[in-house]
Amino acid sequence: MNCLSPSILAADFTRLGEQVAAIENCGAQYLHFDVMDGLFVPNISFGMPVLRSLRAHTNLMMDVHLMIQDPARYIAQVAACGADIITVHAEACTDLNHAVDLIKERDLLAGVALSPATPLSVLTYILHRIDMVLIMTVNPGQGGQPLIPYTLDKVRDLKKIIDRKGLKTDIEVDGGIHFENLETVLDAGANVIVAGSTIFHGDIEENTSRMLEMMK
Ligand code: DX5
Ligand code: ZN
C-alpha cells in the first residue's frame, strides 16, 4: 500500500495543530518527524515535546526519522512519546542490530535510513528484521533540496532485493519529492512518500489531496 508521510519540518510551527489536522482530514496516513541533533547533521530541529504534543492531537501513524548520532540512546524516550515507526540511520549507529532490537522489543515498526552515498550492502544481513528502509533522496539535514537522481537507482535495486527475498519491507523516500517526480519515484519502487515543501508550501489541503490522488 502507498502511504503519504508529510514532513512537519516544512510546517508553520505557530499553526502546527491546525496544519496537521488538515492533513489528517485529507486522508494522509503517516506524519513524518525529522529529529536532528546538530551532530549527525548540522541542523537542530525539534524533539520530544513536539512529538508528545502532536501525539495527543492526531491519530496519524507517527513516523519518526532520527537524524541523531547513536540513536539507541533515545529510543525509549521516542517510544514513550507515542511513535509508531522509529527510523535510525545506519551511519549513526554503533550497533545497528541493537538499535533495531530496542525498537522491536517495544512492538514498534523499525526503519533504517541510508544517506545517499551509503550502499544497500550494509543491510544485507538485517533486511529481514526491519519493517522499512528509508532511502534518503537528498543529503539529510534540511528541507527544500533537489532530489539526487542516482538515489532512485538505489530504490530500484532495493525493490529487486526485497522482491527476490519475498519480503514485505516498505521503501520510504525522503527529500525533494514533488508533483513532477512523484510518478518516477513510485515506479522505482517506493511506497512511503515523505514530502515537506510540496505539502506545506501553498494550499495544504489541495497539495495533500493531489499527492494522494497520484499515489492511488
Ligand atoms: C531532510 C528531511 C526531510 C525533509 C523533506 O533531511 O529528512 O524529511 O523534511 O523536505 P522536502 O520535502 O522539502 O525536501
Ligand atoms: Zn525525514
Side-chain angles (χ1 to χ4, degrees):
M1 175 187 167
N2 290 339
C3 292
L4 179 61
S5 193
S7 166
I8 64 161
L9 195 62
D12 175 350
F13 279 39
T14 66
R15 300 171 57 207
L16 201 45
E18 62 184 88
Q19 294 196 340
V20 168
I23 282 163
E24 189 163 7
N25 289 338
C26 288
Q29 298 87 355
Y30 292 179
L31 190 63
H32 190 81
F33 294 79
D34 287 307
V35 179
M36 305 179 188
D37 66 352
L39 189 63
F40 178 66
V41 292
N43 283 329
I44 295 175
S45 57
F46 50 77
M48 310 307 161
V50 173
L51 302 184
R52 217 177 288 120
S53 303
L54 282 176
R55 176 70 296 166
H57 188 78
T58 181
N59 290 317
L60 291 166
M61 286 277 283
M62 279 179 50
D63 169 28
V64 181
H65 176 195
L66 296 178
M67 280 170 273
I68 64 179
Q69 199 58 43
D70 286 323
R73 296 174 297 146
Y74 288 101
I75 285 167
Q77 279 189 58
V78 172
C81 289
D84 297 293
I85 308 169
I86 301 181
T87 296
V88 296
H89 268 264
E91 307 88 354
C93 291
T94 313
D95 181 341
L96 179 59
N97 193 65
H98 175 59
V100 169
D101 284 343
L102 292 175
I103 300 168
K104 296 199 75 83
E105 72 195 21
R106 291 173 169 81
D107 288 329
L108 302 177
L109 297 175
V112 177
L114 303 181
S115 294
T118 304
L120 292 172
S121 58
V122 299
L123 300 179
T124 301
Y125 299 105
I126 200 171
L127 187 61
H128 67 285
R129 292 203 62 208
I130 64 186
D131 301 287
M132 184 170 84
V133 178
L134 193 177
I135 300 293
M136 286 304 303
T137 39
V138 297
N139 293 321
Q142 71 180 61
Q145 306 175 72
L147 182 143
I148 300 170
Y150 77 73
T151 59
L152 294 186
D153 292 335
K154 192 154 56 163
V155 172
R156 292 183 192 100
D157 290 345
L158 175 61
K159 177 69 176 148
K160 278 186 214 143
I161 294 169
I162 288 169
D163 288 349
R164 196 169 61 230
K165 292 190 171 187
L167 299 172
K168 296 270 174 272
T169 324
D170 287 316
I171 303 179
E172 181 172 54
V173 282
D174 186 0
I177 318 282
H178 46 72
F179 297 116
E180 289 68 34
N181 61 19
L182 179 56
E183 199 178 320
T184 310
V185 166
L186 292 167
D187 285 349
N191 70 307
V192 181
I193 307 294
V194 178
S197 322
T198 301
I199 294 292
F200 288 95
H201 297 173
D203 185 325
I204 294 175
E205 286 168 1
E206 195 180 301
N207 295 338
T208 305
S209 302
R210 185 169 164 205
M211 278 205 119
L212 285 169
E213 188 59 36
M214 289 177 71
M215 290 168 60
K216 275 183 185 160

